[in-house]
Amino acid sequence: MDVHAPHQPVHTWRDFFTHLTIVTIGLFIALTLEAFVEYLHHRHLVHEARENIRHEIETNHEAAQKDLVLLQRNVDSQVANIKAIHELMADPKNFHGSIDNSMNFDSLNDAAWRTARDTGALGFMPYDEVQRYSDLYMLEDLVNKNVIAAGVQDFDAISSFKMGYDPGSLPADEYVLLLRKNASIQIQFTTLKEFVQQFDDHCVAELKR
């Protein structure tokens, strides 16, 4: 934005106020146009952020629906493990079952939310809308952290079988440890399933808006 001095000399107050009015109007128009361009830019930024976040919530809703099924399978697997460990303890020589510690989970995404935050788009959205998104993604973060914790705990549960003993010849306290670890994982998966259900409920509520 450039402001130039008058090309002709100013001789009277009328000339002075005429030039002042012209400059003032010019500055006003320039500032108005600049503000309008900024407004359009912010509006586009918010629109794009909303579209990306909504698409991400739809994707996460689909993933959460799959995860609820997978987590129930994980819980059922731990129930089967506990039953198998009891059978192994009762008759280790004739045990023909199996103990399976594995975990399946469809990951949840937050790239659109982080992009909206980093580009400043959230600053141009209504407070209530940003608060809803924030609550949703805080719950997603809680889910993701518990997924990692459950995975580590699940894989750690097979440590008793990695000590070089035959599964039917473990020390007595190792069988109890196996039971405790698998029962703990069952609780972890059940809790994680509740978190995913809460997250999915939030997704559904947001998609209905």
Side-chain angles (χ1 to χ4, degrees):
M1 187 186 310
D2 295 324
V3 178
H4 299 284
H7 295 293
Q8 297 178 354
V10 177
H11 298 290
T12 66
W13 284 107
R14 181 177 180 180
D15 291 339
F16 170 77
F17 284 113
T18 298
H19 285 296
L20 180 62
T21 301
I22 292 172
V23 170
T24 301
I25 292 173
L27 287 174
F28 175 76
I29 293 173
L31 291 172
T32 300
L33 288 174
E34 184 178 9
F36 182 66
V37 170
E38 283 292 312
Y39 166 76
L40 291 179
H41 172 68
H42 295 159
R43 186 174 179 180
H44 174 73
L45 195 64
V46 169
H47 175 74
E48 187 176 38
R50 281 197 182 111
E51 289 296 312
N52 291 338
I53 290 175
R54 184 173 183 83
H55 177 69
E56 187 168 75
I57 292 174
E58 290 174 348
T59 302
N60 283 338
H61 165 58
E62 294 172 0
Q65 289 290 300
K66 295 177 183 177
D67 288 333
L68 290 171
V69 175
L70 293 174
L71 286 169
Q72 185 57 53
R73 290 177 184 172
N74 291 335
V75 171
D76 294 341
S77 177
Q78 295 310 126
V79 171
N81 282 353
I82 292 171
K83 180 180 178 182
I85 294 169
H86 278 292
E87 293 174 356
L88 180 61
M89 292 173 64
D91 191 2
K93 299 301 181 183
N94 296 313
F95 177 73
H96 300 292
S98 63
I99 299 173
D100 177 31
N101 287 93
S102 60
M103 178 179 176
N104 296 302
F105 192 85
D106 197 354
S107 62
L108 305 174
N109 301 310
D110 65 351
W113 165 251
R114 287 186 286 104
T115 300
R117 180 194 61 198
D118 295 343
T119 58
L122 299 181
F124 304 107
M125 292 182 182
Y127 174 81
D128 291 345
E129 181 181 9
V130 175
Q131 188 62 54
R132 292 199 317 270
Y133 292 149
S134 179
D135 292 343
L136 178 68
Y137 281 97
M138 282 179 62
L139 187 53
E140 179 186 324
D141 184 58
L142 178 65
V143 169
N144 287 334
K145 288 178 179 178
N146 275 270
V147 168
I148 295 173
V152 171
Q153 192 172 352
D154 190 32
F155 296 134
D156 179 64
I158 63 173
S159 59
S160 295
F161 296 124
K162 299 296 183 179
M163 298 188 300
Y165 291 100
D166 182 271
S169 304
L170 289 173
D173 58 342
E174 289 298 324
Y175 290 118
V176 176
L177 183 60
L178 274 171
L179 279 174
R180 182 176 292 110
K181 285 185 175 182
N182 279 272
S184 179
I185 296 167
Q186 181 187 343
I187 295 171
Q188 185 99 9
F189 282 146
T190 301
T191 303
L192 180 56
K193 185 182 175 185
E194 292 296 321
F195 287 151
V196 172
Q197 184 64 66
Q198 291 180 34
F199 171 75
D200 191 45
D201 290 344
H202 277 66
C203 287
V204 171
E206 188 60 39
L207 292 173
K208 288 181 179 179
R209 291 183 177 274

